[in-house]
Amino acid sequence: MDLIQLRREFTSSGLSREELNDNPFVQFENWIEQATKAELTLPNAMSLATSDEDKISIRTVLLKSFDEQGFVFFTNYNSKKSKQIQGNPKAALLFPWLDLERQVKISGAVEKVSALESIKYFASRPKESQLGAWASSQSSVLSSRQILLSQFESMKTKFGKGEIPLPDFWGGYRVVPRTIEFWQGRENRLHDRFVYKKEKDKWLISRLAP
């Protein structure tokens, strides 16, 4: 397969400084709403990069909420990503909305959300997803899929009646951004890039070379 010939010319009308909202969270809300209206597959899917002393890891997770405090996702607190965050509470996010010729890059510190936030979100999940959280020891080695399915059935029996409680090993993290970059594809690879950088209590906006 000749990957060199696998290319696409970006034909967007571009992105100007005048179009940008001074508040990056408002700008992000505008773009994710447009991605949703465009019926992209999982517009809230984002690549999450974390690291420790040995390696950098990346995976796809789902954004579940955002506001001016940051961007929230949920996971098992014993997972590989969580262990890296515990040792190095920094992360980067990427929203690859390539059908719209757009990307959003975010980097910053990571903190746990409150127990109340985790409980509220966990209660909103389908029952099967709640059981899945209990059944899976995320990132641990499994000798077979059957073991996982057996654990799931065991949780169904255990929590057969009533509400399923939040596991004490499961909850949310918030990425508190230091930088937020909006990328719009342009012709001839001369893309438009604008980065918001937090300086004290203000967001400064700069244009970057593509």
Short mmCIF file of all heavy atoms in Angstrom, two decimals, residues 119-148:
data_model
loop_
_atom_site.label_atom_id
_atom_site.label_comp_id
_atom_site.label_asym_id
_atom_site.label_seq_id
_atom_site.Cartn_x
_atom_site.Cartn_y
_atom_site.Cartn_z
N ILE A 119 -20.72 10.18 41.40
CA ILE A 119 -21.97 9.48 41.73
C ILE A 119 -23.08 9.88 40.76
O ILE A 119 -23.82 9.04 40.23
CB ILE A 119 -22.39 9.78 43.18
CG1 ILE A 119 -21.41 9.12 44.15
CG2 ILE A 119 -23.82 9.29 43.44
CD1 ILE A 119 -21.60 9.55 45.60
N LYS A 120 -23.18 11.18 40.49
CA LYS A 120 -24.23 11.69 39.59
C LYS A 120 -24.07 11.12 38.19
O LYS A 120 -25.04 10.67 37.57
CB LYS A 120 -24.18 13.21 39.55
CG LYS A 120 -25.26 13.84 38.69
CD LYS A 120 -25.18 15.35 38.75
CE LYS A 120 -26.26 15.98 37.86
NZ LYS A 120 -26.17 17.47 37.89
N TYR A 121 -22.83 11.08 37.67
CA TYR A 121 -22.63 10.55 36.33
C TYR A 121 -22.86 9.04 36.31
O TYR A 121 -23.52 8.51 35.40
CB TYR A 121 -21.23 10.87 35.80
CG TYR A 121 -20.98 10.13 34.51
CD1 TYR A 121 -21.68 10.47 33.36
CD2 TYR A 121 -20.11 9.04 34.45
CE1 TYR A 121 -21.50 9.75 32.18
CE2 TYR A 121 -19.93 8.33 33.29
CZ TYR A 121 -20.63 8.69 32.15
OH TYR A 121 -20.48 7.97 30.99
N PHE A 122 -22.32 8.32 37.30
CA PHE A 122 -22.47 6.86 37.33
C PHE A 122 -23.94 6.47 37.33
O PHE A 122 -24.34 5.52 36.63
CB PHE A 122 -21.77 6.28 38.55
CG PHE A 122 -21.68 4.78 38.55
CD1 PHE A 122 -20.73 4.14 37.78
CD2 PHE A 122 -22.54 4.01 39.32
CE1 PHE A 122 -20.64 2.75 37.76
CE2 PHE A 122 -22.46 2.63 39.31
CZ PHE A 122 -21.51 2.00 38.53
N ALA A 123 -24.77 7.22 38.05
CA ALA A 123 -26.20 6.92 38.13
C ALA A 123 -26.89 7.12 36.78
O ALA A 123 -27.95 6.52 36.53
CB ALA A 123 -26.86 7.78 39.19
N SER A 124 -26.30 7.95 35.91
CA SER A 124 -26.91 8.22 34.60
C SER A 124 -26.57 7.14 33.56
O SER A 124 -27.18 7.10 32.49
CB SER A 124 -26.44 9.59 34.08
OG SER A 124 -25.10 9.53 33.60
N ARG A 125 -25.61 6.28 33.86
CA ARG A 125 -25.18 5.27 32.89
C ARG A 125 -26.19 4.13 32.80
O ARG A 125 -26.89 3.84 33.79
CB ARG A 125 -23.82 4.68 33.32
CG ARG A 125 -22.65 5.61 33.10
CD ARG A 125 -21.43 5.19 33.90
NE ARG A 125 -20.93 3.87 33.55
CZ ARG A 125 -19.94 3.64 32.67
NH1 ARG A 125 -19.35 4.65 32.06
NH2 ARG A 125 -19.52 2.41 32.44
N PRO A 126 -26.30 3.48 31.63
CA PRO A 126 -27.15 2.29 31.55
C PRO A 126 -26.70 1.25 32.57
O PRO A 126 -25.52 1.17 32.92
CB PRO A 126 -26.91 1.79 30.11
CG PRO A 126 -26.43 3.00 29.36
CD PRO A 126 -25.64 3.80 30.35
N LYS A 127 -27.64 0.43 33.03
CA LYS A 127 -27.33 -0.56 34.06
C LYS A 127 -26.20 -1.48 33.62
O LYS A 127 -25.32 -1.83 34.42
CB LYS A 127 -28.58 -1.37 34.39
CG LYS A 127 -28.37 -2.37 35.51
CD LYS A 127 -29.66 -3.07 35.89
CE LYS A 127 -29.43 -4.05 37.03
NZ LYS A 127 -30.69 -4.75 37.42
N GLU A 128 -26.19 -1.88 32.33
CA GLU A 128 -25.16 -2.78 31.85
C GLU A 128 -23.77 -2.15 31.93
O GLU A 128 -22.77 -2.82 32.20
CB GLU A 128 -25.46 -3.21 30.41
CG GLU A 128 -26.68 -4.12 30.27
CD GLU A 128 -27.99 -3.39 30.43
OE1 GLU A 128 -27.99 -2.13 30.41
OE2 GLU A 128 -29.03 -4.07 30.58
N SER A 129 -23.70 -0.83 31.68
CA SER A 129 -22.41 -0.13 31.78
C SER A 129 -21.98 -0.02 33.23
O SER A 129 -20.77 -0.09 33.54
CB SER A 129 -22.53 1.26 31.16
OG SER A 129 -22.76 1.17 29.77
N GLN A 130 -22.93 0.15 34.14
CA GLN A 130 -22.60 0.17 35.56
C GLN A 130 -22.03 -1.17 35.99
O GLN A 130 -21.02 -1.25 36.71
CB GLN A 130 -23.85 0.50 36.39
CG GLN A 130 -24.39 1.91 36.18
CD GLN A 130 -25.67 2.14 36.96
OE1 GLN A 130 -26.39 1.21 37.31
NE2 GLN A 130 -25.99 3.40 37.20
N LEU A 131 -22.67 -2.25 35.54
CA LEU A 131 -22.18 -3.59 35.86
C LEU A 131 -20.80 -3.84 35.26
O LEU A 131 -19.93 -4.46 35.87
CB LEU A 131 -23.16 -4.64 35.36
CG LEU A 131 -24.52 -4.70 36.06
CD1 LEU A 131 -25.47 -5.62 35.30
CD2 LEU A 131 -24.36 -5.16 37.50
N GLY A 132 -20.60 -3.31 34.04
CA GLY A 132 -19.30 -3.46 33.39
C GLY A 132 -18.18 -2.81 34.18
O GLY A 132 -17.05 -3.33 34.23
N ALA A 133 -18.48 -1.66 34.79
CA ALA A 133 -17.47 -0.99 35.62
C ALA A 133 -17.07 -1.85 36.81
O ALA A 133 -15.90 -1.92 37.19
CB ALA A 133 -18.01 0.36 36.09
N TRP A 134 -18.05 -2.52 37.41
CA TRP A 134 -17.76 -3.42 38.54
C TRP A 134 -17.01 -4.67 38.08
O TRP A 134 -16.14 -5.19 38.79
CB TRP A 134 -19.07 -3.83 39.22
CG TRP A 134 -19.57 -2.85 40.23
CD1 TRP A 134 -20.55 -1.90 40.06
CD2 TRP A 134 -19.12 -2.72 41.58
NE1 TRP A 134 -20.74 -1.19 41.21
CE2 TRP A 134 -19.88 -1.67 42.16
CE3 TRP A 134 -18.18 -3.37 42.35
CZ2 TRP A 134 -19.70 -1.26 43.49
CZ3 TRP A 134 -17.99 -2.97 43.68
CH2 TRP A 134 -18.75 -1.92 44.23
N ALA A 135 -17.35 -5.16 36.89
CA ALA A 135 -16.81 -6.45 36.44
C ALA A 135 -15.37 -6.38 35.95
O ALA A 135 -14.63 -7.37 36.03
CB ALA A 135 -17.69 -7.01 35.32
N SER A 136 -14.96 -5.21 35.44
CA SER A 136 -13.66 -5.12 34.79
C SER A 136 -12.59 -4.51 35.70
O SER A 136 -12.75 -3.39 36.19
CB SER A 136 -13.77 -4.27 33.52
OG SER A 136 -12.50 -4.07 32.94
N SER A 137 -11.51 -5.24 35.89
CA SER A 137 -10.33 -4.70 36.55
C SER A 137 -9.45 -4.11 35.45
O SER A 137 -8.52 -4.76 34.95
CB SER A 137 -9.58 -5.80 37.31
OG SER A 137 -8.43 -5.29 37.93
N GLN A 138 -9.76 -2.90 35.06
CA GLN A 138 -9.23 -2.31 33.83
C GLN A 138 -7.70 -2.33 33.78
O GLN A 138 -7.03 -2.02 34.75
CB GLN A 138 -9.72 -0.87 33.70
CG GLN A 138 -9.55 -0.28 32.32
CD GLN A 138 -10.18 1.10 32.23
OE1 GLN A 138 -9.49 2.10 32.32
NE2 GLN A 138 -11.49 1.16 32.05
N SER A 139 -7.18 -2.74 32.61
CA SER A 139 -5.74 -2.81 32.30
C SER A 139 -5.04 -4.04 32.88
O SER A 139 -3.86 -4.25 32.61
CB SER A 139 -4.99 -1.55 32.74
OG SER A 139 -5.52 -0.39 32.10
N SER A 140 -5.74 -4.84 33.69
CA SER A 140 -5.12 -6.06 34.21
C SER A 140 -5.14 -7.15 33.14
O SER A 140 -5.93 -7.10 32.20
CB SER A 140 -5.85 -6.54 35.47
OG SER A 140 -7.18 -6.90 35.16
N VAL A 141 -4.27 -8.14 33.29
CA VAL A 141 -4.16 -9.22 32.31
C VAL A 141 -5.30 -10.22 32.50
O VAL A 141 -5.59 -10.64 33.63
CB VAL A 141 -2.80 -9.94 32.43
CG1 VAL A 141 -2.73 -11.13 31.49
CG2 VAL A 141 -1.67 -8.95 32.14
N LEU A 142 -5.96 -10.60 31.39
CA LEU A 142 -7.01 -11.62 31.40
C LEU A 142 -6.53 -12.85 30.63
O LEU A 142 -5.99 -12.73 29.54
CB LEU A 142 -8.28 -11.08 30.73
CG LEU A 142 -9.19 -10.16 31.53
CD1 LEU A 142 -10.29 -9.62 30.62
CD2 LEU A 142 -9.80 -10.89 32.72
N SER A 143 -6.74 -14.03 31.18
CA SER A 143 -6.36 -15.24 30.47
C SER A 143 -7.37 -15.61 29.39
O SER A 143 -7.04 -16.32 28.44
CB SER A 143 -6.20 -16.40 31.45
OG SER A 143 -7.41 -16.63 32.15
N SER A 144 -8.62 -15.13 29.54
CA SER A 144 -9.63 -15.40 28.52
C SER A 144 -10.78 -14.40 28.66
O SER A 144 -10.99 -13.81 29.73
CB SER A 144 -10.18 -16.82 28.64
OG SER A 144 -11.00 -16.94 29.79
N ARG A 145 -11.54 -14.22 27.57
CA ARG A 145 -12.71 -13.36 27.63
C ARG A 145 -13.79 -13.97 28.52
O ARG A 145 -14.57 -13.25 29.15
CB ARG A 145 -13.26 -13.13 26.22
CG ARG A 145 -14.50 -12.26 26.20
CD ARG A 145 -14.92 -11.82 24.81
NE ARG A 145 -16.15 -11.04 24.86
CZ ARG A 145 -16.22 -9.75 25.19
NH1 ARG A 145 -15.12 -9.09 25.48
NH2 ARG A 145 -17.38 -9.11 25.23
N GLN A 146 -13.82 -15.28 28.60
CA GLN A 146 -14.84 -15.96 29.40
C GLN A 146 -14.77 -15.53 30.86
O GLN A 146 -15.81 -15.43 31.54
CB GLN A 146 -14.68 -17.47 29.29
CG GLN A 146 -15.83 -18.25 29.93
CD GLN A 146 -17.18 -17.86 29.37
OE1 GLN A 146 -17.36 -17.76 28.16
NE2 GLN A 146 -18.15 -17.62 30.27
N ILE A 147 -13.56 -15.30 31.35
CA ILE A 147 -13.42 -14.84 32.74
C ILE A 147 -14.12 -13.50 32.92
O ILE A 147 -14.82 -13.28 33.91
CB ILE A 147 -11.93 -14.75 33.11
CG1 ILE A 147 -11.33 -16.15 33.20
CG2 ILE A 147 -11.76 -14.01 34.43
CD1 ILE A 147 -9.85 -16.16 33.49
N LEU A 148 -13.93 -12.59 31.96
CA LEU A 148 -14.57 -11.29 32.03
C LEU A 148 -16.09 -11.43 32.02
O LEU A 148 -16.80 -10.78 32.80
CB LEU A 148 -14.10 -10.41 30.87
CG LEU A 148 -14.71 -9.01 30.77
CD1 LEU A 148 -14.33 -8.18 31.99
CD2 LEU A 148 -14.24 -8.32 29.49
#
